[in-house]
Amino acid sequence: MQGDVPQSRRHRTVGFRRACLLTITAAVAAVSACAEPSSTSGATPLTFVGAPAATSLTLRDAANGQEGVASTDGEIRLRTAPRTDDDATARLCGVLVGRSRLTERLPFAWSVDSMLPHLAPKILAGGDVYGVRLLVPGVNAAYHFEGFTTDGGTRVSVRWPVRSSGSVPATASDPEIEAVLTPAPTVLDSLVTALRYRDGGKRAAWASARGPSDSIETSRAVRLVRDVPFFPIGFSTACRDATFRTDVNAGTEKAIRVLVDKGDRVAATVSLPGSEASVRFVMGGEASKLGRTTSLTAPDSGFVTLLVGFTANSTAPQRQSVLLRVTSSAH
């Protein structure tokens, strides 16, 4: 049936194996005023500043957070809630810190009914929110944003149906995919980045209740995959703790660059059952102690290089997936 997306699990770089259409379940229309909510308990209250004309949401109180209601059809398109320290939220931080392009089991506020790869992921950091937006294909194709307020204490989620004006070939790039969609993902990005703290004030950084930095939980790990060698991972106030799975060859060290500000304290822990894994930092010719855990205080802003390796006996696989947890404490 026209408009349905083939339910293949095959992965292109971020797309399909064959031509497909994205479909819509609802359309968006003209502008309406966005009312400021009264005080909410729990999640930090947000409002809009300069929301684009192609979107129309009114914010209202809802339990411990807020809802954004579309004036065109009364559907809820935005939700906020107090942050929780669960595995899915930790994986969201892993995607943001590592900028992974692979599908992960994230804390979607609305269920995602497509098993197809998530398309056109993009980190949004503007206004008072920070997170990742992506396109979920299928018969209920939609734009999704999942992230946090910049203080890290409030979860922010947006879902908006999208439709296509034509087919998308398997080799289509992210910009080519976005160009055929209505509303344009860039317009919806502008809606997200127009969110501001309602009172305009700054907030204290959210503090995780997780265990010590030398513990690793597999359920919180995301695969660290980058398109460019040595592409750096970067922390934010909202996400200063990330766990990754990364492939390493025995007897070699894999280099990962970690963006830092002067005075940041960065710690790393590795785990590989059945083999001896190790990690160390290198910056400006100086190296930290080699071991299962290591840490470093950045003497300057820029990046530090994290080297991950392992040794294996002759019967063990010579390429394995190492678990790596990296944390950052701002000065």
Side-chain angles (χ1 to χ4, degrees), residues 68-86:
V69 182
S71 62
T72 52
D73 55 15
E75 293 293 322
I76 298 172
R77 302 281 186 236
L78 178 150
R79 287 177 176 162
T80 72
R83 179 175 181 171
T84 57
D85 195 12
D86 57 13

Side-chain angles (χ1 to χ4, degrees), residues 146-203:
E146 297 295 340
F148 309 94
T149 51
T150 50
D151 60 14
T154 298
R155 283 273 292 110
V156 182
S157 304
V158 175
R159 179 187 63 175
W160 208 293
V162 293
R163 60 181 172 85
S164 67
S165 59
S167 61
V168 182
T171 56
S173 64
D174 289 354
E176 290 171 331
I177 293 171
E178 296 179 36
V180 301
L181 297 181
T182 302
T186 52
V187 171
L188 297 174
D189 292 345
S190 296
L191 169 71
V192 172
T193 57
L195 288 165
R196 298 289 190 277
Y197 294 130
R198 187 166 63 93
D199 61 7
K202 293 184 178 181
R203 301 295 191 280

Side-chain angles (χ1 to χ4, degrees), residues 38 66-67 88 111 133 137 141 144 147 157 163 178 185 193 211 264 267 274 280 290 293 305 307:
S38 59
Q66 293 171 272
E67 295 174 340
S111 61
R133 68 91 143 144
H144 282 259
S157 304
R163 60 181 172 85
E178 296 179 36
T193 57
D264 285 354
R280 63 190 177 113
L290 181 68
T293 64
T305 301
L307 300 176

Side-chain angles (χ1 to χ4, degrees), residues 28-276:
V28 294
V31 187
S32 71
C34 296
E36 290 192 2
S38 59
S39 177
T40 58
S41 59
T44 301
L46 298 171
T47 189
F48 285 112
V49 175
T55 60
S56 178
L57 285 181
T58 298
L59 297 180
R60 69 185 185 191
D61 293 352
N64 290 327
Q66 293 171 272
E67 295 174 340
V69 182
S71 62
T72 52
D73 55 15
E75 293 293 322
I76 298 172
R77 302 281 186 236
L78 178 150
R79 287 177 176 162
T80 72
R83 179 175 181 171
T84 57
D85 195 12
D86 57 13
D87 290 349
T89 302
R91 289 192 295 271
L92 175 57
C93 268
V95 168
L96 292 171
V97 172
R99 296 172 182 254
S100 172
R101 295 182 68 87
L102 295 184
T103 300
E104 300 288 346
R105 294 173 292 119
L106 300 179
F108 290 105
W110 290 269
S111 61
V112 174
D113 60 3
S114 172
M115 297 302 295
L116 290 166
H118 301 159
L119 307 181
K122 179 180 179 181
I123 303 297
L124 299 183
D128 290 326
V129 295
Y130 167 69
V132 61
R133 68 91 143 144
L134 47 85
L135 306 174
V136 176
V139 294
N140 295 316
Y143 168 106
H144 282 259
F145 169 84
E146 297 295 340
F148 309 94
T149 51
T150 50
D151 60 14
T154 298
R155 283 273 292 110
V156 182
S157 304
V158 175
R159 179 187 63 175
W160 208 293
V162 293
R163 60 181 172 85
S164 67
S165 59
S167 61
V168 182
T171 56
S173 64
D174 289 354
E176 290 171 331
I177 293 171
E178 296 179 36
V180 301
L181 297 181
T182 302
T186 52
V187 171
L188 297 174
D189 292 345
S190 296
L191 169 71
V192 172
T193 57
L195 288 165
R196 298 289 190 277
Y197 294 130
R198 187 166 63 93
D199 61 7
K202 293 184 178 181
R203 301 295 191 280
W206 183 82
S208 171
R210 285 191 67 181
S213 60
D214 62 352
S215 65
I216 298 182
E217 299 169 66
T218 304
S219 59
R220 296 185 173 225
V222 300
R223 185 160 291 281
L224 183 60
V225 176
R226 297 179 307 280
D227 293 336
V228 181
F230 303 115
F231 193 85
I233 63 175
F235 292 94
S236 68
T237 301
C239 292
R240 291 198 171 275
D241 190 336
T243 302
F244 303 107
R245 299 186 304 275
T246 186
D247 293 336
V248 180
N249 292 321
T252 65
E253 288 183 307
K254 183 170 186 175
I256 300 168
R257 290 180 177 173
V258 183
L259 294 174
V260 293
D261 289 325
K262 182 177 181 179
D264 285 354
R265 182 72 174 173
V266 187
T269 301
V270 289
S271 175
L272 182 60
S275 297
E276 184 177 346

